[in-house]
Structures are given as C-alpha cells and as structure tokens.
Amino acid sequence: MEPLQKFSFLIIIFFAILSPSFSDRCNPEDKKVLLKIKKALHNPYHLASWNPEVDCCIWYSLKCSRTTNRVYKLTIFAGQINGQIPAEVGDLPFLETLMFHKLTNITGPVQPAIAKLTNLKYLDLSWNHLSGPVPDFLSQLKNLIFLDLSFNQLSGSIPSSLSTLPNLTSIRLDRNNLTGQIPMSFGSFAGEFPYLILSHNKLSGSIPASLGKKDFGNLDLSRNRLEGDASMVFNSKTRWIDLSRNLLEFDFSKVELSENLTWLDLNHNKITGSLPESAIVSLQFLNVSYNRLCGEIPVGGDLQRFDYTAYFHNRCLCGAPLPPCK
C-alpha cells in the first residue's frame, strides 16, 4: 500500500471510531422497543429497514438526537400496515414527535400508553381508522403543541381538559363522529392558536361565547349541528372563519368584520339581516349563500368582485352581482 493510501485508510478508521455517524449510536433500549413495535405491526415491508443488525438511528421513519442518541421522532405513514397502535410506543421516553398517518388499516382506540410520553410535542394520528373517544389522558401531555386526530372514526364528546395544556396551539379533530358541545373552556387556551378545526362532526348546541375572546388563525366549525348566535366569533382577529352548514341564526347586520379576516364561509345557515356596511377589504373568499339575508349588497367596497354564487338563495338579497333591487 502506498504511503498516501495508507494514511487515508488510517484517517477513515480513525473517524469511524470517533464519529457517531460511523458507529452504532442507537440506544439499545430504544432498539428493543422499536423491534417490538415492528413485531406488533406484523413486520410490515414498510419497516424493512428496521434490521436488528443495523444502527437504528439510520432506520427509516425515525430520527435520533445528535446529543443523546435517543429516538425523538417516530413518523410512520402511508404504508400497508394492519393492527392497532402498539402499546410499546409509550416506552420511547424521549419522543417529541409521534405520527401514525394515512394508515387506513390501523384500528382501535388512541393508545393509552401515549400518556407516558411526557416530552411529546407533536401528536399526529390522522387519516387512520381509529375509534373510541378523544381520550382525557391527552391533557397529561403538558409539552404538547400540536394535536391532530382528524379523519378517523372517533366518537363521544370533546374533553374540556385539552384547554389546560399550556403549550397547545393547534387542534384538528375534524372528520370524525364527535357529538356534544364545544367545550366552553376552548376560549382560554394560553398562547396563540393557528388552528381550531372541528368540522365534519355531529357537534350540537351553541358556540361558546368564550371563543370570541381568542384570536385563531383558522376557525373551522363547519358541517356540524351548531345553532344560535355566532356573532361573537367576529369580535376576534381570526383570519379564516368557516361556519357553513350548521343551524346558526343571528343578525348579520350587527356584525363588525375585522380587517384581518381573509376567508368567510357562512353558507347553509339561518342567518338574517343584511350584509355589514363595513368595507370588506381583505377578503379573498366569501360565501353567504343559502341563508335568510335581505337588502342590497353594499357597493363601494370589494363585495362585487365575488360572483353570484357567493350570495344566491337568500330571502331578499339583491344588487350586483345578483339581480338589481326593485
């Protein structure tokens, strides 16, 4: 071997010994747990890289911390995987992100062992076939920032205890079979709240007045059975409001629309009154069709740039882009 080649070879060996990227840095306890998870999921091809002879930190669907070498991220999605979420996920104490997403053959409840994951920040169990309730034990995850249980078969009421989570900023519970009322406490989340999405359920009763005290990025309560007044939600600086396809009934002429509002969908309700006189400058989308509105569509703002489908099927709403008032 030439001296230069020999030197290069020794350098490679040296870094293989010292660098974590060249050595097996997977925590042995984590590896045992991960292999149990693979077995519980019937050794799917999706987890073929989970070879016990290989460093688990280079397996697909997970990440290890560069400082602790512990598994902090487990993201299993879009695979042909059957069964329930394994209880062993609760034995990965350093997990900050847990995702089981678009696994339509994953059934059963939200795994109770998840309550042990006190470091968890992001929980995404969406687009599966989970059933049972939204569990109250989620309120034990005090570091949780993001919760997504959408597109499942969850039933029962929404636990009010979720509002006690000090760091929670987004909830998606849409496309389930949830019933009961929206918890009154949902207006008291601690920080900013980009997403509160509860659409496509069977929620009933009135919208809590407390929601008017909270600025949401996106507030979507559409396609439920909500009734009564919803004018309080316009008191906030929420940017996206979708209350469509409910049983809401209030006087829209008394509503002050925020300049922050960019999306407003109120179609298929029982809303009365006239459109607010205030100029709607920032709106990129508007739909107030299939209500009980009357009067002339105000001119001088931006309301005429939306086509007639945004306004049709009201009691006596008129003016461009609808036929002229008589």
Side-chain angles (χ1 to χ4, degrees):
M1 182 181 293
E2 295 294 329
L4 183 58
Q5 291 177 322
K6 185 175 181 180
F7 177 76
S8 299
F9 178 75
L10 291 174
I11 288 293
I12 292 172
I13 294 299
F14 176 77
F15 280 106
I17 294 171
L18 294 184
S19 174
S21 63
F22 285 88
S23 61
D24 190 343
R25 61 191 183 95
C26 177
N27 180 277
E29 293 303 314
D30 286 352
K31 178 179 273 191
K32 289 179 184 177
V33 171
L34 291 166
L35 291 173
K36 288 179 181 179
I37 290 173
K38 181 182 179 182
K39 183 178 180 181
L41 295 173
H42 313 293
N43 299 307
Y45 177 76
H46 194 74
L47 303 180
S49 67
W50 291 23
N51 184 339
E53 304 302 320
V54 177
D55 179 9
C56 79
C57 290
I58 63 172
W59 292 355
Y60 291 147
S61 301
L62 61 87
K63 287 187 178 180
C64 296
S65 166
R66 292 185 177 274
T67 54
T68 65
N69 295 333
R70 302 302 297 262
V71 175
Y72 75 93
K73 191 171 186 179
L74 180 61
T75 55
I76 301 175
F77 58 91
Q80 295 297 318
I81 297 178
N82 303 318
Q84 299 188 10
I85 298 173
E88 287 81 3
V89 297
D91 297 326
L92 294 170
F94 286 76
L95 269 192
E96 296 180 8
T97 297
L98 176 61
M99 175 190 290
F100 278 72
H101 173 66
K102 280 196 174 181
L103 304 169
T104 53
N105 292 324
I106 288 291
T107 60
V110 177
Q111 174 54 246
I114 290 173
K116 297 192 292 182
L117 300 175
T118 56
N119 290 304
L120 202 62
K121 296 179 180 179
Y122 302 93
L123 178 60
D124 184 349
L125 305 180
S126 61
W127 292 77
N128 298 305
H129 207 75
L130 300 177
S131 57
V134 176
D136 188 67
F137 65 70
L138 294 175
S139 62
Q140 300 174 35
L141 305 175
K142 298 303 182 183
N143 289 301
L144 199 64
I145 296 172
F146 178 85
L147 173 64
D148 190 348
L149 303 178
S150 62
F151 288 85
N152 279 291
Q153 301 293 322
L154 300 174
S155 58
S157 59
I158 301 172
S160 61
S161 59
L162 293 178
S163 63
T164 65
L165 291 171
N167 299 298
L168 192 63
T169 62
S170 292
I171 293 179
R172 289 202 59 166
L173 300 177
D174 49 302
R175 308 268 181 172
N176 280 289
N177 295 312
L178 300 175
T179 55
Q181 296 187 314
I182 300 171
M184 182 67 71
S185 61
F186 270 28
S188 60
F189 288 103
E192 294 183 1
F193 222 89
Y195 294 99
L196 178 60
I197 304 181
L198 308 178
S199 66
H200 295 80
N201 280 291
K202 300 174 183 176
L203 301 174
S204 59
S206 58
I207 296 175
S210 62
L211 294 191
K213 301 175 183 178
K214 189 71 183 173
D215 296 336
F216 298 96
N218 185 327
L219 177 64
D220 189 349
L221 309 179
S222 63
R223 294 178 183 267
N224 280 291
R225 299 170 182 173
L226 302 171
E227 57 188 17
D229 190 12
S231 59
M232 79 291 291
V233 303
F234 300 100
N235 296 333
S236 66
K237 296 179 180 179
T238 298
R239 295 186 297 276
W240 177 306
I241 297 176
D242 191 345
L243 305 177
S244 61
R245 295 183 181 272
N246 279 289
L247 303 169
L248 298 169
E249 189 172 358
F250 59 96
D251 186 347
F252 198 40
S253 58
K254 297 180 180 179
V255 168
E256 281 278 338
L257 297 179
S258 167
E259 293 181 357
N260 296 290
L261 192 63
T262 61
W263 182 288
L264 178 60
D265 195 345
L266 301 174
N267 79 79
H268 286 84
N269 278 288
K270 301 177 181 179
I271 300 169
T272 59
S274 58
L275 289 173
E277 290 289 339
S278 57
I280 305 176
V281 178
S282 303
L283 275 183
Q284 299 170 9
F285 178 87
L286 174 68
N287 191 342
V288 294
S289 64
Y290 290 91
N291 278 289
R292 299 175 181 178
L293 297 170
C294 276
E296 185 172 8
I297 297 172
V299 296
D302 289 341
L303 292 180
Q304 277 67 41
R305 65 189 173 91
F306 302 106
D307 67 29
Y308 78 100
T309 61
Y311 304 105
F312 69 169
H313 291 283
N314 273 285
R315 178 172 289 164
C316 46
L317 200 61
C318 58
L322 294 178
C325 300
K326 297 179 180 180

